[in-house]
Amino acid sequence: MTRMPFLAGNWKMFKTGSEAAEYVEKFKSLIADVKDRQTALAVPATALYQAVAAARGSDLIIGAQNLHWEKEGAFTGEISAPMISAAGASMVIIGHSERRQYFGDDDSAVAKKMAAALLEGLLAVVCVGESLKDRESGQTIDVLAKQLRGALTGFNPAWTQKLVLAYEPVWAIGTGKTATADEAQQSHAFIRSEVASLLGGQAADSLRILYGGSVKPDNAASLMAQPDIDGLLVGGASLQIESFVKIVRY
Ligand code: PEP
């Protein structure tokens, strides 16, 4: 099974709407010839409309970084899946470690958010990953298994095409420490085997699993050379067009 490489940027809480529009206009022209891989940018909610408008005429996917599982309601400060798609976006990141760490997104919230996104037809990029403490105490596999089980319990197999997983070891996010390509591959292979036992071999074979954590232009190619790494989720290095373009062209 060939899995189309997927290169996604996560801007976190950076860039206004006009900065997003300017970036996307330039970025889409710089990668216009790239047809053998998918590209995406997860932008702040306030920049969705402008990023979507700027991306028109290209294959660049624009997404949000979080959502609430309800369609609407008294949830001050939140946005829902229908609101994201009404803004013209087609993807959302769910369970990013910063959401888990600072905003209390636990496995059950991740499962509800994922279902809401997939029911709306959005591409759901669901993040899992162990902390430094987990890794040092030999818990990596157990933590990943628990997060995957938590997210994928109740998963409808019809959603498989719209799900992307991202392995993001928390100790590698924004720290400059990258998992080596071998370390990342080991975790990705484990994630794929867990997906096979939860969702079946066919789903595991077709599902894309991204690596995230201090990806830079100089480590993108070695990560992408691993058999179970199907793409990259890039935080800091996606904020500069030049470095993200280099990563897309790894
Ligand atoms: C991220 O935000 O998903 C991420 C991996 O960040 P960074 O690339 O900056 O480590």
Side-chain angles (χ1 to χ4, degrees):
M1 158 78 58
T2 50
R3 298 180 289 264
M4 169 86 102
F6 191 84
L7 292 312
N10 170 24
W11 282 355
K12 312 185 191 228
M13 198 172 71
F14 290 98
K15 297 196 190 294
T16 62
S18 55
E19 287 165 346
E22 194 188 331
Y23 180 118
V24 169
E25 287 288 355
K26 266 195 217 151
F27 179 69
K28 77 174 183 189
S29 68
L30 290 170
I31 57 154
D33 59 315
V34 176
K35 299 290 177 207
D36 59 348
R37 53 202 74 177
Q38 266 183 316
T39 54
L41 286 169
V43 308
T46 48
L48 281 172
Y49 274 98
Q50 277 157 287
V52 165
R56 243 168 235 135
S58 74
D59 295 326
L60 175 64
I61 295 168
I62 300 295
Q65 301 170 8
N66 178 41
L67 82 173
H68 194 283
W69 55 83
E70 294 291 347
K71 287 188 162 69
E72 58 184 11
F75 301 105
T76 301
E78 295 291 305
I79 60 168
S80 69
M83 290 171 180
I84 292 168
S85 53
S90 54
M91 178 189 89
V92 62
I93 296 177
I94 295 165
H96 190 280
S97 67
E98 288 152 16
R99 297 291 321 171
R100 292 180 189 259
Q101 191 178 348
Y102 305 127
F103 303 98
D105 285 15
D106 58 12
D107 292 339
S108 106
V110 169
K112 287 191 277 188
K113 289 180 178 202
M114 184 192 68
L118 293 167
L119 283 168
E120 182 62 33
L122 296 172
L123 189 67
V125 179
V126 175
C127 304
V128 295
E130 81 287 0
S131 67
L132 186 57
K133 191 161 147 249
D134 299 329
R135 176 158 280 261
E136 286 177 346
S137 58
Q139 303 291 303
T140 299
I141 294 299
D142 294 341
V143 168
L144 294 179
K146 179 179 163 294
Q147 290 176 343
L148 288 167
R149 248 180 280 118
L152 299 180
T153 300
F155 188 84
N156 178 342
W159 293 337
T160 308
Q161 293 309 312
K162 287 286 195 173
L163 176 68
V164 172
L165 291 178
Y167 168 61
E168 297 210 310
V170 181
W171 49 271
I173 297 180
T175 59
K177 284 186 202 156
T178 325
T180 63
D182 276 354
E183 282 170 333
Q185 166 57 25
Q186 276 175 28
S187 296
H188 279 237
F190 172 73
I191 291 168
R192 202 174 301 284
S193 71
E194 277 296 289
V195 172
S197 64
L198 291 165
L199 306 181
Q202 219 180 326
D205 225 27
S206 61
L207 189 85
R208 286 176 296 179
I209 308 173
L210 318 182
Y211 169 79
S214 296
V215 173
K216 302 277 180 291
D218 59 1
N219 59 19
S222 62
L223 289 160
M224 287 303 291
Q226 302 302 312
D228 288 297
I229 299 183
D230 309 311
L232 303 168
L233 183 53
V234 185
S238 71
L239 291 170
Q240 306 298 329
I241 297 184
E242 299 71 26
S243 61
F244 194 43
V245 167
K246 282 186 189 151
I247 290 169
V248 167
R249 294 184 178 279
Y250 63 89

